[in-house]
């Protein structure tokens, strides 16, 4: 569906209307509910392909559409990135082992609106170093979200994330970033997860975008495998990611993809 609502800033960022928030909330809620419902299907011996099949069915059962099936030739309703895979992991027949951590990323289309979110899961017992990585990544996302209000800049968001991560002796991936969305999957701006305060475009009420930091236990460099999708850490260190879709409000931020069941962190049941 073509983008057509609201005005564009000088940076090419679309400003949506107040009435558009409801559409984003509906799309975000479905994506978040699917990630809640898939949690019980992540276990030792499960395949990422089976998880993706369940997600595909959940999207269909909801009467929605997957944004990723057919996107640039991609054929799955999710990206599932295990251990040292940074992002864009392709679901397949590999079975999860005890202690594997994985990011599941889902984007759905509901009445033309895109809901995009991801979170971390664990198969079996969560290793201590992975738990620490996941916690820092989770908290870094919310450090970035705390910066979202009119008058702040995208550099403020990136700096908050980078400063928090590096204070914990971890690294922020620079090869991938968040993005604008709304009635399209990807649009300006690029939302960097590093940067300097006060730089970049100024946030305005009605901007919709994702914040989705990828954090590595080792160095930040990545490489993309021969399948042209799967991105991995060059040093094979563990990587984690959390993602929310958000909208800038009059005095702050609205998160469109909150977990309805409080399952956004993999230790929710402990």
């Amino acid at each position: 569906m073509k983008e057509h609502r609201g005005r564009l800033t000088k940076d090419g960022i679309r400003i949506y209307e107040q009435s558009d928030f409801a559409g984003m909330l509906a799309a975000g809620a479905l994506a978040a509910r699917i990630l809640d419902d898939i949690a019980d299907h992540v276990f030792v011996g499960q395949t990422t392909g089976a998880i993706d099949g369940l997600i595909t069915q959940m999207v269909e059962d909801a009467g929605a559409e997957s944004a990723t099936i057919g996107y640039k030739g991609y054929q799955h309703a999710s990206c599932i990135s295990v251990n040292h895979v940074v992002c864009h992991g392709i679901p397949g027949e590999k079975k999860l082992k005890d202690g594997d951590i994985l990011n599941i990323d889902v984007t759905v289309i509901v009445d033309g609106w895109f809901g995009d979110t991801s979170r971390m899961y664990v198969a079996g017992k969560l290793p201590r170093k992975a738990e620490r990585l996941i916690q820092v990544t989770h908290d870094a996302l919310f450090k970035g979200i705390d910066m979202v209000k009119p008058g702040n800049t995208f550099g403020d968001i990136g700096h908050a994330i980078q400063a928090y991560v590096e204070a914990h002796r971890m690294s922020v991936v620079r090869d991938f970033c968040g993005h604008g969305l709304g009635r399209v999957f990807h649009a300006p701006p690029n939302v960097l997860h590093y940067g300097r305060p006060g730089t970049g475009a100024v946030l305005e009420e009605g901007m919709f975008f994702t914040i989705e930091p990828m954090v590595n236990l080792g160095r930040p460099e990545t490489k993309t495998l021969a399948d042209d999708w799967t991105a991995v850490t060059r040093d094979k260190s563990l990587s984690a990611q959390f993602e929310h879709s958000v909208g800038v409000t009059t005095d702050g931020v609205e998160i469109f993809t909150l977990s309805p069941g409080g399952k956004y962190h993999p230790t929710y049941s402990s």
Side-chain angles (χ1 to χ4, degrees), residues 24-168:
M24 289 298 290
L25 279 167
L30 174 59
R33 178 165 61 81
I34 288 171
L35 290 188
D36 274 14
D37 292 346
I38 207 63
D40 290 339
H41 300 280
V42 177
F43 50 80
V44 176
Q46 176 71 293
T47 68
T48 55
I51 293 170
D52 181 72
L54 290 165
I55 291 171
T56 302
Q57 191 60 53
M58 291 175 185
V59 175
E60 292 176 359
D61 290 347
E65 181 182 349
S66 167
T68 53
I69 295 177
Y71 179 77
K72 296 184 177 180
Y74 196 76
Q75 293 302 315
H76 302 276
S78 63
C79 293
I80 303 180
S81 303
V82 182
N83 292 334
H84 71 291
V85 178
V86 174
C87 60
H88 304 158
I90 301 174
E93 296 310 307
K94 187 173 182 179
K95 293 182 178 180
L96 296 174
K97 303 186 300 294
D98 186 41
D100 279 350
I101 61 170
L102 55 152
N103 176 274
I104 302 179
D105 189 339
V106 169
T107 308
V108 298
I109 309 171
V110 177
D111 295 329
W113 296 100
F114 286 71
D116 187 2
T117 184
S118 81
R119 65 182 80 152
M120 296 300 295
Y121 300 82
V122 60
K125 181 174 174 57
L126 182 60
R128 179 68 188 101
K129 67 177 182 178
E131 182 177 13
R132 183 168 165 268
L133 169 67
I134 287 170
Q135 190 65 54
V136 168
T137 307
H138 173 275
D139 294 347
L141 168 61
F142 283 91
K143 293 289 184 184
I145 290 174
D146 285 345
M147 291 293 105
V148 179
K149 63 180 180 180
N152 278 0
T153 69
F154 283 97
D156 294 333
I157 297 172
H159 175 75
I161 293 168
Q162 180 185 8
Y164 186 79
V165 169
E166 292 180 353
H168 288 82

